[in-house]
Amino acid sequence: ATPDSALVVAWNIDAISTFDPAQVGEVVTNELIQNTCDSLVDFDPKDESKVAPLLAKSWDVSEDREQITFHLNGNLKFPDGSPATARELAWSMQRVVLLGYGNASTLTEYGFSKDNVKDRIVASDDSTLVLKLDNPYPTNLILQAIGANRVSALLDMKTLVSKEINGDMGNKYLATNTACVGPYRLVQWNAAESIVLQANDEYYGEKPKLKRVLIRHVAEPGTQRLLLTQGDVDIARDLSPDDLADLDGKPGLKIERVLKPQLFFWTFNAADPIFKNDKVRLAMRYLIDYDGLAKSVMTYLGVPRASFAQLGAVGALDAEEGQPFKLDLEKARALLAEAGYPNGFEASVLFGTLPHSAPIAQSIQQNASKVGVKLNLERMANAQLFSRIRGREFQTGMLAWQTGVPDAHGNASRLVYNPDNRPEAKLTQIPAWRSAYQNEEFNKRIQQALLEGDPDKRNQIYYALQKDVMEQGPMAIMFQMYNILGMSDKVKNWTWNGFRVYYDVVSK
Amino acid sequence: MSDVSRFLIEAVGLSVSFGSQTARTRVVDDVSFHIRKGEAYGLIGESGCGKSTILRALSGLNGEYDGAFLLRDRELPKKRDKDFFRRVQMVFQDPYGSLHPRKIVERVLAEPLAIHGFDRHSERIAETLDAVGLGPSFRYRYPHELSGGQRQRVAIARALIIEPEILLLDEPTSALDVSVQAEILNLLKRLRLERDLTYLMVSHDLAVVAHICERAGVMHQGQIIEELSAQQIRQSQAREDYTRKFLQASIEAVARRTEVEA
Amino acid sequence: MDKPLIDVKDLRIRFESAHGSHEAVRGISFTIGREKVGIVGESGSGKSLTGRSLLKLTPKGAKISATHMRFRDIDLLEASERKMRTIRGNHISMILQDPKYSLNPLMRIGNQIVEAYRLHHRVQPAEAKTRALAMLEAVHIRDPERVFHLFPHEVSGGMGQRIMIAMMLIPEPDLIIADEPTSALDVTVRRQVLTILDELVSRRGTGLMFISHDLNLVASFCDRVLVMYAGRIMEDLPAGDLHKARHPYTQALLESLPRLDHPVEELKVPVRDAAWLNGPVYRNGVLA
Amino acid sequence: MTDKAMTSPNVPSSGLLAWLQAPVPTSPFHARMQQLWQKAWRLRSNVPALFGICVILAILTAALLAPLLATHDIYEQNLAMRLLAPSAEHWLGTDELGRDVYSRLIYGARITLYIALLTTVIVAPIGLLVGTTAGYLGGWVDTVLMRIVDVFLAFPNLILALAFVAALGPGIQNAIIAISLASWPPIARLARAETLTIRKSDYIAAVRLQGASSLRIIFGHIMPMCIPSVVVRVTLNMAAIILTAAGLGFLGLGAQPPSPEWGTMLSSGREFVMTSWWIAAIPGSAILLTSLAFNLFGDGLRDILDPRHG
Amino acid sequence: MADIVHSVPRSDAGDVVKPNPLVVALKIAGRTLLPVFVTLFGLAALTFFIGRMLPIDPVASILGDNATQEAYEKMSRALGMDKPLWYQFGVYVKGILSLDFGQALTTGKPVVEDIARVFPATIELATLAIIIGTGLGIPAGVVAAMYRGSWIDQAIRFTGLIGYSAPNFWLGLMGLVLFYATFGWIGGPGRIDFIYEFDIEPITGFYLIDTVVQGKWEVFRNVFGHIILPASILGFGALAYISRMTRSFMIEQLGQEYIVTARVKGLSWGRTVWVHAFRNVAVQVVTVVALSYAFLLEGAVLTETVFAWPGFGRYLTNALLVGDMNAVVGCSLLVGIIFVSLNLFCDLLYRVFDPRTR
Ligand SMILES: Nc1ncnc2c1ncn2[C@@H]1O[C@H](COP(=O)(O)OP(=O)(O)OP(=O)(O)O)[C@@H](O)[C@H]1O
Ligand SMILES: Nc1ncnc2c1ncn2[C@@H]1O[C@H](COP(=O)(O)OP(=O)(O)OP(=O)(O)O)[C@@H](O)[C@H]1O
Ligand SMILES: [Mg+2]
Ligand SMILES: [Mg+2]
């Protein structure tokens, strides 16, 4: 049984290593940060592509769209009761750029740099924050990217500065602590064991319904299931699809799901003599049994999706247009013949430990064998998979990619856009570069869309781009993944979208 | 006696110690003796007096001794060479432990031939088996298929097959029953004559030593306290008290029976 | 000597093996009273098996059968394991050949003796210890108090053998089976051990079954001798009548030992005759 | 000898039996065959060992005749028929991609046995060599070798294995090497212990006195004596090897999908334990049965080969 | 698993110089401790170089998938990975000597602190498991040896083998389904129910002990309910090995002459076995138990996963999978130290309990 005042969650939280908003990139911590550190603005719970006020109760955009002025809530306080102001926020955001961890790119992409960030993110007074941009980006995009994101968490500057080690701006301290304004605060974290979030009494907004959120690390899906059915946890986050299917409709339980901005794809190395051929890559797409997989392995896990822009994003093709492929061996054979491989070829497929990788890979392998393509599967630890892919040491590989913004630009800028394809450029954070794929024309269209002021025109550019990339792109996108969980029906008001889970409104 | 050398084998001031530095005991203490070619020399003494230790030192199984062994007046290196093993062979006390349990007789006998590069393996094996009184039917048997006496014969055959000059015998019959002991003793006696062998034989059984050897050293607490001829042993002509007691004990049992018989 | 302690008739011990079943003891009959009976014979003739069968401690694969095998009035063949436990040690005990292996290496010698005593006598440990010390003294151990606390590896072979004797005699059994108790000892020690055994046995009137392969030794020590060959008793006669032995095997055994007082060029070796296997056997010098 | 004469042999029913039971062997080959025969004879009454042998033979047969015994293509997927319970069509049900578990199990025996047996074949000689050398030569050789053994023993196996993928790349062969690397030290220790008792024996002293080199003694005299216990020991390890192989599978070592290796089948069945129990239970039982068979057989071997336990 | 084997120390009789007691003492210390240090050093070196060989890039696993190359290089420098290998090794050895393994990348805490947290959980589990495994395994092995070849022997062997070859995760989940979900006899996965989680003040880190010390019997029962199933399952595996080895040692002893002596004295079979034979295998059995224990400490990964047990095995494996070399090194050394000290301990046991080696 679980206490009435607490939400008890079973979740695989192996991967947590820090709570520094400048550094985290991983799903679990991301969710925790979002519930412990409010950002400037929020994703609208009902429609993730819209933004809603959070720290900022309102904002003004300059005529030229190059300056945004945020007006913060007046009574912001850190959990220890000390006041939180726009100055701390400015410092927090500058800090992200100055530290230069992975999340810095959220800001650097829009013209902020180590040299200019102090001038471009400024607090004009205690409750006003001004962002100065270098280009007239679409305001919604900027708000999603910068405002609704980890990078605009309001950190407790005084504490962090006092805990500073070697100029890390409190990075080490944040490895095991949180120090922000948010509905909850972290009170206990035992790595790979449990996390306890406690409601923040000093919170400026509406107080959370539940006093505590307890997350227990449970790696085994079967174990999670038992805990859930026995009522020892309220929510199980990593149930296997078959368990979900089995539990769906059982009394006392419910299944909740929401599409997340994560795409599972099969990426090809365009530097490989075989896969540099567009036709070959296209042929591979016809070997994927989207339908069959969706109805079996991927039920409860995701929906077929071939476009780089996830469903729910601004500019994304709809479900039908965004997935025009189906298993078609004839077509694949014909394409291979055109590409000069009438008898197929042999290639390797790397994949990691995601549970659905193996069945998908095997399914494709089986189909490929029918057109003469012999795929050798190589399973490995995720960290090893990433090293291989980042180092361009692969022929093909299967992995997932999650974007931070509900806008087609998010993925376009990573999965398609590649400013410099030279190996020594080492743009390892860009999947397109990892695939050694560069298309100047696509690059141009992406740039153009980015600065297009008219939403309709902008969408049109993306629609066309998506269709072209589906034919030629360096990765065969296969599924957009669900966030899915099993939950006791005692839990009320579970609220989430693809980008955010709202613990504070949950009640029991 | 050979012209070249007075003695075939000579031990000079031999001492052997065992144990770590803290608890070191001298098991053989300044022992000297010599054996002429064709002679059979015995070492007698009660259990634990150091007889086997001398044999092991001479054979090279234990290289850590003080003093020297001379073979034809030449000092033997502490680490014996192959030539030494060619000329000196040893027969162990326990026939049950001295044959490799997983090797048939033929392989046991073929091994020394291979090591020393002899030819005509098959013939030599047959000849030697014959010499120790084992027929060809024993050639392909495993040790566990042989009786103790037969095993000891195989062990003797193994020692003889490379035609050594000297045989070291460490209580070769003490593990055998008396009837088999008789067979082996007869065999040893015969072989010595036939092949002009030299024996160094260790035993605690006076009768056995007297039967085989011309001369014997009596050992007590690591020293040879006196040397007796076979004749002296039989007639209990000992100088030392200890030897007399030792001889007495051996004779008594037999004497009692004679008494009963009479 | 009225009623024998042991009365065995037609004892057979069989083993199953790859070569078919194999009889190691083939129908032997004998009795033992309060006397010293020697059993001689070459290795493998079945001496030990006979001895052990009296205690029902034969190896697992052995199958014992007999017309009867009695200890006093108890039929050993029928006796339950529980019954046997009261007999073992208390009434019949056995001295094993090699003290090096026959004593528990991790138990102090004294405790092993005390255990043997207390198994059959309900006494306080202190009293048992006194008895054990007395027994050690009885087997001529010089410093019993010290030896009591030693471990088996700390005593010499001769001492070990004496300890075995002490341990087996302390419950005061009626019959002792000594299985080659001296073959591992050198002459001097052997003599001491035999003397002690003789003393104790004759003082208490215990029956002794003395197993050995040395006919000369047995003859000088025992009252009666049984000569075994290939699982059969070939000859059964008083030690004093040994010179009247009829069986060629017995005769050869007598001659096979080298003797100090009687040098020979060649020792006599029993020439084993296949006819012996099922041939005639002799009792008291006459054909049985 | 006497006991031979007393034996009443079963009446030989054939020439071969007579030959095998002949009291006197006439050639080395004959002697060896007689040995074998006697051992086989002793095995006859060892029911568990016989059971073990039968099961091993059955599994080997299944592996050899897999193409004949299998009822389905082991790679043929049918997503519509996934996770079916055992039925007349699919005797042991289907797996997560709708493949026939029975057929995969039969084919899997090939890979699984290959891994288990090859590992054994690698581990035993290495362990033997190191153990006997250390034990026989003693001194600093012993010290050095045993320290190495200790280090390998104390080293977490998974790390060793991963290092191996790095050095050699993935594949079954490399998995075998990786597992071997982790399993030879215990064997070496066993062999060394055995050697320490053997080296004191007279028959070793005897060959030394014939002038035999250390090499000859180790290979020709000591190793044969250690083999039985090592073989026994190694058969005990079968299950562990199969399970380790499965564990390495997810690091990219060992059998890769879609190969039907039992350990891999077992670990992919883990996901379905709560819903489709047979997916894990069937390969699990197969591993259990195989391991049981090897163990029983190993015990039988020990009883036969090792006189000290006989 | 391994057999620790003890040779009787060979006498290397060298010079006959009068020994200096100090030198002797030093030599004895050297002879026992030097190998320990050599082993540990070897272990450390091997860990280091194998760590550098691993295909996993620690920098990438800290920074995540979307880090820029610049951040990557910066972190790489911070970890000292740009220095030559020997230099890194030096730093590493120095760290080891001061018991500083650096920070674990996965948790951001010092490795030593992490180990101090996860290790008690594992020790607690493994200790209970070994108690179960030993408590049942030794009697089972002895009984099997006593009735060698009988159905009891077969039954024990078969049961043991199930523990040895049945996959742990399967046993674990089935056990949970049965005892937790169906019967509700035991607590579920995890070390303790959440409700009680805050009732324990960590003193030793061993919940069973902590609750007893604090007199919180209710919590103790809860903790016990959680630990009993995983411990039984691990114990089951240990049982298999322990009983097999015990059986084989016992069979060897039961073939000895002194057993016959004991029986001749009139001792019952049971007492012969337990008092005489067992005493002679006790030290060997302890060696086996110690080794099983060491393996339990190192390698209960799957059981820990199934039971959501925040233990050492999972920590090590996880660290390895993400290339957290600091943690891997710390853990490996700890495991090594455990192995070596158990080895040493068993050696000492031999010396103490076997009078022949004294
Ligand atoms: N390797 C060794 N280490 C320590 N002491 C030893 C060693 N070998 C022999 N000894 C001791 O040396 C002494 C003499 O042993 P040795 O074997 O030479 O006696 P022996 O005269 O042959 O006796 P036996 O008639 O019993 O064979 C004994 O006290 C024995 O304990
Ligand atoms: N466990 C056994 N299995 C098969 N045969 C056995 C077994 N024990 C003894 N035998 C056989 O029984 C016969 C007699 O053995 P026993 O031990 O009684 O001989 P012994 O006369 O005491 O010989 P020794 O003088 O060598 O002690 C031997 O031929 C032996 O092979
Ligand atoms: Mg000797
Ligand atoms: Mg006997």
Side-chain angles (χ1 to χ4, degrees), chain D residues 48 147 156 166 193 196 233 291-292 299 303, chain E residues 1 3 5 7 53 148 154 157 244 298:
Chain D
R147 291 293 75 79
L196 286 180
R233 177 58 213 255
S291 144
L292 182 68
D299 282 4
D303 290 351
Chain E
M1 271 172 254
D3 313 79
V5 170
S7 56
M53 257 168 68
R148 186 180 175 206
Q154 309 297 359
R157 177 153 59 172
R244 288 193 71 84
E298 175 196 358

PDB file of all heavy atoms in Angstrom, chain D residues 48 147 156 166 193 196 233 291-292 299 303, chain E residues 1 3 5 7 53 148 154 157 244 298:
ATOM      1  N   PRO D  48      22.260 -42.973 -12.501  1.00  0.00           N
ATOM      2  CA  PRO D  48      22.259 -41.543 -12.816  1.00  0.00           C
ATOM      3  C   PRO D  48      23.210 -41.197 -13.945  1.00  0.00           C
ATOM      4  O   PRO D  48      22.866 -40.425 -14.846  1.00  0.00           O
ATOM      5  CB  PRO D  48      22.731 -40.897 -11.508  1.00  0.00           C
ATOM      6  CG  PRO D  48      22.461 -41.888 -10.457  1.00  0.00           C
ATOM      7  CD  PRO D  48      22.587 -43.231 -11.089  1.00  0.00           C
ATOM      8  N   ARG D 147      50.021 -16.123  -8.715  1.00  0.00           N
ATOM      9  CA  ARG D 147      49.594 -14.725  -8.563  1.00  0.00           C
ATOM     10  C   ARG D 147      48.741 -14.330  -9.761  1.00  0.00           C
ATOM     11  O   ARG D 147      47.714 -13.683  -9.643  1.00  0.00           O
ATOM     12  CB  ARG D 147      50.798 -13.798  -8.452  1.00  0.00           C
ATOM     13  CG  ARG D 147      51.618 -13.918  -7.165  1.00  0.00           C
ATOM     14  CD  ARG D 147      50.883 -13.479  -5.930  1.00  0.00           C
ATOM     15  NE  ARG D 147      49.887 -14.430  -5.457  1.00  0.00           N
ATOM     16  CZ  ARG D 147      50.177 -15.536  -4.753  1.00  0.00           C
ATOM     17  NH1 ARG D 147      51.400 -15.830  -4.408  1.00  0.00           N
ATOM     18  NH2 ARG D 147      49.227 -16.360  -4.374  1.00  0.00           N
ATOM     19  N   PRO D 156      36.530  -9.101 -11.892  1.00  0.00           N
ATOM     20  CA  PRO D 156      35.143  -9.314 -12.308  1.00  0.00           C
ATOM     21  C   PRO D 156      35.059  -9.772 -13.767  1.00  0.00           C
ATOM     22  O   PRO D 156      35.631  -9.149 -14.661  1.00  0.00           O
ATOM     23  CB  PRO D 156      34.514  -7.937 -12.127  1.00  0.00           C
ATOM     24  CG  PRO D 156      35.355  -7.272 -11.105  1.00  0.00           C
ATOM     25  CD  PRO D 156      36.741  -7.785 -11.310  1.00  0.00           C
ATOM     26  N   ALA D 166      36.395  -5.492 -27.077  1.00  0.00           N
ATOM     27  CA  ALA D 166      37.145  -4.363 -27.587  1.00  0.00           C
ATOM     28  C   ALA D 166      38.321  -4.839 -28.416  1.00  0.00           C
ATOM     29  O   ALA D 166      38.598  -4.337 -29.498  1.00  0.00           O
ATOM     30  CB  ALA D 166      37.645  -3.524 -26.428  1.00  0.00           C
ATOM     31  N   ALA D 193      46.655 -28.245  -7.121  1.00  0.00           N
ATOM     32  CA  ALA D 193      46.490 -29.001  -5.881  1.00  0.00           C
ATOM     33  C   ALA D 193      46.757 -30.477  -6.129  1.00  0.00           C
ATOM     34  O   ALA D 193      47.467 -31.139  -5.371  1.00  0.00           O
ATOM     35  CB  ALA D 193      45.082 -28.815  -5.347  1.00  0.00           C
ATOM     36  N   LEU D 196      50.405 -31.150  -6.594  1.00  0.00           N
ATOM     37  CA  LEU D 196      51.210 -31.121  -5.374  1.00  0.00           C
ATOM     38  C   LEU D 196      51.236 -32.491  -4.698  1.00  0.00           C
ATOM     39  O   LEU D 196      52.245 -32.880  -4.117  1.00  0.00           O
ATOM     40  CB  LEU D 196      50.662 -30.078  -4.401  1.00  0.00           C
ATOM     41  CG  LEU D 196      50.945 -28.631  -4.798  1.00  0.00           C
ATOM     42  CD1 LEU D 196      50.360 -27.679  -3.775  1.00  0.00           C
ATOM     43  CD2 LEU D 196      52.431 -28.402  -4.945  1.00  0.00           C
ATOM     44  N   ARG D 233      35.394 -31.577 -13.130  1.00  0.00           N
ATOM     45  CA  ARG D 233      35.185 -30.210 -12.714  1.00  0.00           C
ATOM     46  C   ARG D 233      34.555 -29.383 -13.837  1.00  0.00           C
ATOM     47  O   ARG D 233      33.649 -28.585 -13.640  1.00  0.00           O
ATOM     48  CB  ARG D 233      36.544 -29.641 -12.309  1.00  0.00           C
ATOM     49  CG  ARG D 233      36.548 -28.201 -11.919  1.00  0.00           C
ATOM     50  CD  ARG D 233      35.588 -28.021 -10.784  1.00  0.00           C
ATOM     51  NE  ARG D 233      35.001 -26.721 -10.890  1.00  0.00           N
ATOM     52  CZ  ARG D 233      35.330 -25.719 -10.118  1.00  0.00           C
ATOM     53  NH1 ARG D 233      36.179 -25.889  -9.156  1.00  0.00           N
ATOM     54  NH2 ARG D 233      34.777 -24.550 -10.289  1.00  0.00           N
ATOM     55  N   SER D 291      22.563 -29.281 -18.143  1.00  0.00           N
ATOM     56  CA  SER D 291      23.511 -29.171 -17.056  1.00  0.00           C
ATOM     57  C   SER D 291      23.394 -30.366 -16.118  1.00  0.00           C
ATOM     58  O   SER D 291      24.393 -30.933 -15.673  1.00  0.00           O
ATOM     59  CB  SER D 291      23.253 -27.858 -16.341  1.00  0.00           C
ATOM     60  OG  SER D 291      23.452 -27.987 -14.991  1.00  0.00           O
ATOM     61  N   LEU D 292      22.168 -30.769 -15.878  1.00  0.00           N
ATOM     62  CA  LEU D 292      21.954 -31.940 -15.023  1.00  0.00           C
ATOM     63  C   LEU D 292      22.630 -33.160 -15.649  1.00  0.00           C
ATOM     64  O   LEU D 292      23.353 -33.897 -14.985  1.00  0.00           O
ATOM     65  CB  LEU D 292      20.453 -32.187 -14.878  1.00  0.00           C
ATOM     66  CG  LEU D 292      20.072 -33.347 -13.979  1.00  0.00           C
ATOM     67  CD1 LEU D 292      20.413 -33.022 -12.542  1.00  0.00           C
ATOM     68  CD2 LEU D 292      18.594 -33.670 -14.101  1.00  0.00           C
ATOM     69  N   ASP D 299      29.835 -36.843 -12.549  1.00  0.00           N
ATOM     70  CA  ASP D 299      29.973 -37.618 -11.318  1.00  0.00           C
ATOM     71  C   ASP D 299      30.293 -39.065 -11.624  1.00  0.00           C
ATOM     72  O   ASP D 299      31.134 -39.685 -10.968  1.00  0.00           O
ATOM     73  CB  ASP D 299      28.681 -37.548 -10.497  1.00  0.00           C
ATOM     74  CG  ASP D 299      28.578 -36.242  -9.753  1.00  0.00           C
ATOM     75  OD1 ASP D 299      29.471 -35.401  -9.949  1.00  0.00           O
ATOM     76  OD2 ASP D 299      27.618 -36.065  -8.990  1.00  0.00           O
ATOM     77  N   ASP D 303      33.561 -41.240 -10.545  1.00  0.00           N
ATOM     78  CA  ASP D 303      33.516 -42.532  -9.883  1.00  0.00           C
ATOM     79  C   ASP D 303      34.337 -43.566 -10.643  1.00  0.00           C
ATOM     80  O   ASP D 303      34.968 -44.430 -10.062  1.00  0.00           O
ATOM     81  CB  ASP D 303      32.062 -43.000  -9.756  1.00  0.00           C
ATOM     82  CG  ASP D 303      31.310 -42.153  -8.735  1.00  0.00           C
ATOM     83  OD1 ASP D 303      31.977 -41.366  -8.050  1.00  0.00           O
ATOM     84  OD2 ASP D 303      30.076 -42.285  -8.644  1.00  0.00           O
TER      85      ASP D 303
ATOM     86  N   MET E   1      33.452 -21.665 -10.079  1.00  0.00           N
ATOM     87  CA  MET E   1      34.035 -21.282  -8.804  1.00  0.00           C
ATOM     88  C   MET E   1      35.316 -22.044  -8.569  1.00  0.00           C
ATOM     89  O   MET E   1      35.630 -22.985  -9.255  1.00  0.00           O
ATOM     90  CB  MET E   1      33.036 -21.552  -7.700  1.00  0.00           C
ATOM     91  CG  MET E   1      32.160 -20.321  -7.510  1.00  0.00           C
ATOM     92  SD  MET E   1      30.842 -20.633  -6.398  1.00  0.00           S
ATOM     93  CE  MET E   1      29.519 -20.726  -7.536  1.00  0.00           C
ATOM     94  N   ASP E   3      38.524 -23.806  -6.350  1.00  0.00           N
ATOM     95  CA  ASP E   3      38.921 -24.513  -5.162  1.00  0.00           C
ATOM     96  C   ASP E   3      40.174 -23.830  -4.660  1.00  0.00           C
ATOM     97  O   ASP E   3      41.126 -23.682  -5.388  1.00  0.00           O
ATOM     98  CB  ASP E   3      39.279 -25.939  -5.498  1.00  0.00           C
ATOM     99  CG  ASP E   3      38.224 -26.554  -6.382  1.00  0.00           C
ATOM    100  OD1 ASP E   3      38.225 -26.288  -7.600  1.00  0.00           O
ATOM    101  OD2 ASP E   3      37.404 -27.260  -5.850  1.00  0.00           O
ATOM    102  N   VAL E   5      43.309 -24.158  -2.686  1.00  0.00           N
ATOM    103  CA  VAL E   5      44.020 -25.352  -2.350  1.00  0.00           C
ATOM    104  C   VAL E   5      45.254 -24.970  -1.582  1.00  0.00           C
ATOM    105  O   VAL E   5      45.870 -23.958  -1.840  1.00  0.00           O
ATOM    106  CB  VAL E   5      44.400 -26.075  -3.635  1.00  0.00           C
ATOM    107  CG1 VAL E   5      45.337 -27.191  -3.299  1.00  0.00           C
ATOM    108  CG2 VAL E   5      43.150 -26.612  -4.271  1.00  0.00           C
ATOM    109  N   SER E   7      48.853 -25.970  -0.154  1.00  0.00           N
ATOM    110  CA  SER E   7      49.959 -26.879  -0.141  1.00  0.00           C
ATOM    111  C   SER E   7      50.584 -26.782   1.233  1.00  0.00           C
ATOM    112  O   SER E   7      50.577 -25.747   1.863  1.00  0.00           O
ATOM    113  CB  SER E   7      50.970 -26.465  -1.180  1.00  0.00           C
ATOM    114  OG  SER E   7      51.350 -25.146  -0.946  1.00  0.00           O
ATOM    115  N   MET E  53      41.129  -0.133 -22.398  1.00  0.00           N
ATOM    116  CA  MET E  53      40.869  -0.855 -23.637  1.00  0.00           C
ATOM    117  C   MET E  53      39.378  -0.916 -23.952  1.00  0.00           C
ATOM    118  O   MET E  53      38.985  -1.217 -25.063  1.00  0.00           O
ATOM    119  CB  MET E  53      41.349  -2.304 -23.477  1.00  0.00           C
ATOM    120  CG  MET E  53      42.650  -2.623 -24.144  1.00  0.00           C
ATOM    121  SD  MET E  53      43.199  -4.234 -23.526  1.00  0.00           S
ATOM    122  CE  MET E  53      41.962  -5.291 -24.253  1.00  0.00           C
ATOM    123  N   ARG E 148      25.483 -42.205  -0.048  1.00  0.00           N
ATOM    124  CA  ARG E 148      25.943 -42.073  -1.414  1.00  0.00           C
ATOM    125  C   ARG E 148      25.266 -43.084  -2.326  1.00  0.00           C
ATOM    126  O   ARG E 148      25.244 -44.286  -2.043  1.00  0.00           O
ATOM    127  CB  ARG E 148      27.444 -42.316  -1.420  1.00  0.00           C
ATOM    128  CG  ARG E 148      28.069 -42.082  -2.729  1.00  0.00           C
ATOM    129  CD  ARG E 148      29.535 -42.341  -2.612  1.00  0.00           C
ATOM    130  NE  ARG E 148      30.132 -42.240  -3.908  1.00  0.00           N
ATOM    131  CZ  ARG E 148      31.235 -42.862  -4.247  1.00  0.00           C
ATOM    132  NH1 ARG E 148      31.867 -43.595  -3.381  1.00  0.00           N
ATOM    133  NH2 ARG E 148      31.719 -42.717  -5.445  1.00  0.00           N
ATOM    134  N   GLN E 154      20.549 -38.676  -4.662  1.00  0.00           N
ATOM    135  CA  GLN E 154      20.084 -38.174  -5.959  1.00  0.00           C
ATOM    136  C   GLN E 154      19.185 -36.951  -5.779  1.00  0.00           C
ATOM    137  O   GLN E 154      19.296 -35.976  -6.511  1.00  0.00           O
ATOM    138  CB  GLN E 154      19.301 -39.237  -6.718  1.00  0.00           C
ATOM    139  CG  GLN E 154      20.000 -40.580  -6.834  1.00  0.00           C
ATOM    140  CD  GLN E 154      21.282 -40.487  -7.618  1.00  0.00           C
ATOM    141  OE1 GLN E 154      21.659 -39.419  -8.094  1.00  0.00           O
ATOM    142  NE2 GLN E 154      21.985 -41.599  -7.727  1.00  0.00           N
ATOM    143  N   ARG E 157      21.211 -33.961  -4.899  1.00  0.00           N
ATOM    144  CA  ARG E 157      21.980 -33.512  -6.060  1.00  0.00           C
ATOM    145  C   ARG E 157      21.073 -32.784  -7.060  1.00  0.00           C
ATOM    146  O   ARG E 157      21.416 -31.738  -7.581  1.00  0.00           O
ATOM    147  CB  ARG E 157      22.619 -34.731  -6.707  1.00  0.00           C
ATOM    148  CG  ARG E 157      23.371 -34.414  -7.937  1.00  0.00           C
ATOM    149  CD  ARG E 157      24.466 -35.396  -8.188  1.00  0.00           C
ATOM    150  NE  ARG E 157      23.973 -36.759  -8.308  1.00  0.00           N
ATOM    151  CZ  ARG E 157      24.729 -37.781  -8.688  1.00  0.00           C
ATOM    152  NH1 ARG E 157      25.990 -37.577  -8.964  1.00  0.00           N
ATOM    153  NH2 ARG E 157      24.243 -38.976  -8.785  1.00  0.00           N
ATOM    154  N   ARG E 244      27.627 -29.851  -3.039  1.00  0.00           N
ATOM    155  CA  ARG E 244      28.398 -30.725  -3.923  1.00  0.00           C
ATOM    156  C   ARG E 244      29.821 -30.904  -3.422  1.00  0.00           C
ATOM    157  O   ARG E 244      30.364 -32.003  -3.385  1.00  0.00           O
ATOM    158  CB  ARG E 244      28.468 -30.152  -5.328  1.00  0.00           C
ATOM    159  CG  ARG E 244      27.204 -30.232  -6.087  1.00  0.00           C
ATOM    160  CD  ARG E 244      27.496 -29.936  -7.531  1.00  0.00           C
ATOM    161  NE  ARG E 244      28.224 -31.043  -8.115  1.00  0.00           N
ATOM    162  CZ  ARG E 244      27.639 -32.112  -8.593  1.00  0.00           C
ATOM    163  NH1 ARG E 244      26.346 -32.212  -8.572  1.00  0.00           N
ATOM    164  NH2 ARG E 244      28.345 -33.086  -9.104  1.00  0.00           N
ATOM    165  N   GLU E 298      30.244 -10.328  -5.357  1.00  0.00           N
ATOM    166  CA  GLU E 298      30.563  -9.730  -6.646  1.00  0.00           C
ATOM    167  C   GLU E 298      29.418  -9.827  -7.634  1.00  0.00           C
ATOM    168  O   GLU E 298      29.131  -8.900  -8.366  1.00  0.00           O
ATOM    169  CB  GLU E 298      31.788 -10.436  -7.252  1.00  0.00           C
ATOM    170  CG  GLU E 298      32.107  -9.961  -8.631  1.00  0.00           C
ATOM    171  CD  GLU E 298      33.042 -10.928  -9.347  1.00  0.00           C
ATOM    172  OE1 GLU E 298      33.455 -11.922  -8.733  1.00  0.00           O
ATOM    173  OE2 GLU E 298      33.334 -10.679 -10.500  1.00  0.00           O
TER     174      GLU E 298
END
